[in-house]
Amino acid sequence: MIQCEQLSKSFDGKPAVHNLSLVVQSGEILGFLGPNGAGKSTTVKMFTGLLRPTSGTARIAGFDVARDPIEVKKRIGYVPETAALFESLTAWEFLELISELHHLDRQLASRRIEEFLSLFGIYEDKDRHLSTFSKGMKQKLLIAAALLHNPEVLFLDEPLNGLDANAALIIKELLKKMAGQGKTILFCSHILEVVERVCTRIAIIHKGELITQGTTAEIARQTQQPTLERAFGKLTGVRDASEYTESFLQALASE
Amino acid sequence: MNNLFEWLGVDSRQWAALSKVAIKRDFRQSSVSSFSHGRTGRGAFVTLVLFYLITGLAFVPVFLASGDINFSINLLVLYTMFMVGGLILVEYHAVVVSPDDYFVLAFRPISSRTYFFVKLTNILFYVLTFTLVLALPATVTFWVNSDFHPMFGFATLLIVLLASFATAMGIILLYTYLMKRIGAARLQNAMALFQIALAFVVYSSFFVLPQLLSQPSPDFFDVEKRTWLVFMPSTWFASCLAIVMGNASWLLWLLALAAVVITVSITYFALAKLSESYSESVMSAFSAVSAGAKSSRKFMKPFLLFARAQEERVVSKLIRNQFLHDNRFKMAVLGILPLTFFYLFLGIEDGPLPDPFLEPEFELGRSGLLYLLIFLFPMMLRTFVTQSDAYQASWIFHASPVDVRRLVIAEKNFLMIYFVLPFLFILGAVFYYFFGDVLHVLLHILILGLLAHLFLQFAFLYSPDLPFSRPNIRGSRSRHLAIFFVVVPFIIYFLLPFVFRYVYNSSANYLVCMITVLTVSIILESLIQVRVSAYLRKAEFTG
């Protein structure tokens, strides 16, 4: 379970996330949406212990992020938005390191690493340095690393970035099954179709503040829009796409 | 062992895995960029091991000449402490101050103490290995001199390692303490100031060394004769050997005790007090980075003063902005700037500098250090200017319609204009003070400036790297410094006496020299461009 109350983060006095209160129950996949710079990644970074909240509280799997960060980190899996990997290690070495950090039984870890690498189709590349991996391969490895210790709570920041259609399909199915097993999943993405299809509930954040949450149908009803895409546009104040394009082309044409 | 880790609050399994991976990463890291030479961290490490072994061997004749064990151990410990300070200053501070593994590890269940221990292990691995190699020849010499006394060699090695350990721990403690005490917002500026201050301390201790090596006086380190020596930490550690030898006075006993107490206190404070809050400090530092850089248009104009072409503007803006926002680059540059003042001071300390137009036969002596700087300084900066953690962003040079050859030339010109020229002005003022003849000073500075430019051209010809296009490889900066400190003085001490003897004795010779240097310079400029083009033809961006 993910729970936060009045969670805020400011940088140099400028609020990035403001008074965010949110609950994600076990077995739920929450789609965490927002335009670029809305505060999604900052929120996830606070949940995962990468950033310290300026105020407010956050509890993950029953533990306070500020008071028991290690207990929280033992129970979470995180796929960051940028491929944070040790590029001079091989795929096997990297996953082996993650298993050591989580104190996994070495035999079990070896078995799981082998299975995960095979599942993602990169077993043949297990001894290659990560610097030679493509973006999609690195993303697969990040997902494998997040799942290796079978965490209770998953934070996925743009997890399908760079994945081919087959791998994306596997991940989507996997997430649904994991939620079915009672895992809590926070899913950040810009691809609204995927969010609609995978997530059980959606929360939209804009300029650091939570502006709405509910199922796709509930949000569409609240905003009186036919689709999530339109609702998102209306809630985040985005101008009409054609109007935007026109301004963009005008800017390009100006000398 | 596990009990010890448990007692220290360190997760032994995580510590072992992370320490192993840290060394593996350091050794495997290679400069994979479009201008790749395939250099690796392992190569840098091996070069440094050889360098310190040779340095250690070079001390042996000095020890034998002095014939005094007290002098020898003091000199060895002093040099070791300087070496460790310099290494951390130029290279290994980033391990603690800006750990590059933060984004990979921050959300893993690693305690602050374990993380701090991993950082500590990484630095100590290098520092103690280099110390061991440096001290080995001396240890063997002492052991042989003591008629193979079993404790004597062992004690020497232990004392030098202890001094090295204490120095490393002391500097790490200062960095960590500063990170904890100073708020995230002011951390970058505070670190810059601290780096300069630390550089002054380290290099001032080095100041004593040339004096000792030029006149190895056995009683130089006699604390009874020079009471100020009791304030030098190297004396405290060196005193321990007198105890092993069985001829320690009560003062030496006291100094040895001070060494032990200081080492234990530093270690205790770092491990027990600061390690607990280390992760928090790193997080604060990264929060400050996440806050984004403030507008930095201020003082941009001076950096664009000489930038006419687009490529020159690009390089000027890039280097200036990297200095403001890339902490590693800033710390590296600030770490060597104080060296300039010390060399300047040492160079003129011997007395008035002779005017080469009036005394062409003069020997370089200590004033050679002054000249050495003109050539050494830009070479060192060139190394820093080509490395960055954000080296992968150098794809932009290949994807943009810029002339890459001109970028490399602009990089070289930037170093000449903003680092060499200001230094030549300072040097000109110093020369004027001693020569009293403006024309002589101008002509002398002109030759020196052109020669420095020639050196820089050779460096770029050897390795025409684009700005910030290579990854920071652990040990590579120190390796470059080690090579420069050996090669450049060697060339200078042959080249300059020749120039002084034959160039300044007639106007015709001076003119011929100018024309020759200028011609070579023009040829080199073209060769650099040819070399860059050749590189470009086989370049592949693999970042």
Side-chain angles (χ1 to χ4, degrees), chain A residues 1-254:
Chain A
M1 186 179 174
I2 304 167
Q3 200 175 7
C4 70
E5 263 177 61
Q6 306 285 307
L7 194 68
S8 299
K9 178 70 191 175
S10 302
F11 295 113
D12 281 344
K14 214 173 130 192
V17 175
H18 185 60
N19 286 343
L20 183 78
S21 296
L22 197 70
V23 176
V24 191
Q25 300 288 354
S26 298
E28 225 185 342
I29 307 178
L30 181 82
F32 199 44
L33 302 181
N36 294 333
K40 298 186 300 292
S41 294
T42 304
T43 306
V44 175
K45 281 177 185 165
M46 284 192 280
F47 285 153
T48 53
L50 277 158
L51 288 176
R52 194 189 323 112
T54 310
S55 63
T57 56
R59 291 180 77 80
I60 311 290
F63 293 95
D64 190 291
V65 171
R67 274 206 298 269
D68 303 303
I70 301 295
E71 291 305 317
V72 170
K73 289 171 187 181
K74 279 179 188 170
R75 290 163 175 82
I76 64 165
Y78 173 42
V79 177
E81 61 178 334
T82 46
L85 295 161
F86 293 141
E87 305 234 330
S88 49
L89 296 188
T90 65
W92 187 279
E93 285 170 340
F94 183 73
L95 292 180
E96 203 173 44
L97 170 70
I98 303 300
S99 72
E100 288 288 306
L101 296 181
H102 282 280
H103 288 266
L104 285 188
D105 173 73
R106 286 185 178 129
Q107 277 190 335
L108 172 75
S110 286
R111 230 178 17 250
R112 238 180 235 177
I113 293 169
E114 202 172 319
E115 279 166 15
F116 278 25
L117 290 177
S118 304
L119 184 76
F120 287 121
I122 48 175
Y123 183 76
E124 298 295 310
D125 306 295
K126 67 179 178 11
D127 296 324
R128 268 174 58 191
H129 287 181
L130 300 181
S131 58
T132 64
F133 271 35
S134 71
K135 192 177 176 182
M137 288 162 85
K138 283 179 186 171
Q139 194 68 10
K140 286 174 181 175
L141 199 73
L142 280 173
I143 296 170
L147 299 175
L148 197 65
H149 55 291
N150 195 16
E152 285 174 47
V153 181
L154 269 172
F155 294 98
L156 310 171
D157 202 345
E158 299 290 353
L160 306 184
N161 241 347
L163 290 188
D164 57 65
N166 291 336
L169 196 69
I170 293 172
I171 298 297
K172 282 185 273 186
E173 281 309 307
L174 191 68
L175 293 180
K176 282 182 190 169
K177 293 262 163 64
M178 289 179 89
Q181 287 176 353
K183 304 220 182 287
T184 313
I185 301 168
L186 189 103
F187 188 100
C188 299
S189 179
H190 289 292
I191 312 166
L192 300 181
E193 293 91 336
V194 175
V195 173
E196 248 180 315
R197 214 169 304 152
V198 174
C199 302
T200 48
R201 202 157 57 89
I202 288 161
I204 299 178
I205 183 174
H206 184 44
K207 292 181 180 165
E209 292 189 38
L210 186 71
I211 49 173
T212 192
Q213 56 178 317
T215 60
T216 310
E218 282 166 359
I219 291 173
R221 208 165 39 240
Q222 280 167 24
T223 54
Q224 296 177 321
Q225 296 293 322
T227 61
L228 179 64
E229 193 179 30
R230 290 282 182 100
F232 181 80
K234 188 176 178 185
L235 285 166
T236 55
V238 176
R239 281 184 295 168
D240 183 63
S242 60
E243 199 184 316
Y244 233 126
T245 320
E246 205 55 49
S247 311
F248 196 80
L249 290 174
Q250 268 174 17
L252 269 182
S254 62

Side-chain angles (χ1 to χ4, degrees), chain B residues 303-377:
Chain B
F303 288 92
L304 297 177
L305 216 59
F306 302 96
R308 296 275 171 263
Q310 197 65 24
E311 288 81 0
E312 286 166 351
R313 292 177 69 82
V314 166
V315 168
S316 298
K317 282 185 175 182
L318 186 63
I319 296 179
R320 183 246 183 214
N321 287 337
Q322 281 288 116
F323 184 77
L324 286 179
H325 308 303
D326 182 338
N327 210 29
R328 279 194 187 200
F329 176 55
K330 187 198 278 186
M331 299 275 271
V333 173
L334 293 179
I336 63 160
L337 281 180
L339 192 65
T340 318
F341 294 97
F342 277 104
Y343 270 43
L344 207 63
F345 177 68
L346 286 172
I348 58 177
E349 206 210 12
D350 262 358
L353 288 174
D355 182 342
F357 284 91
L358 305 176
E359 296 174 59
E361 293 291 334
F362 89 98
E363 281 181 16
L364 278 174
R366 289 266 287 284
S367 66
L369 292 172
L370 207 67
Y371 292 104
L372 180 69
L373 261 186
I374 309 166
F375 304 97
L376 197 63
F377 195 36

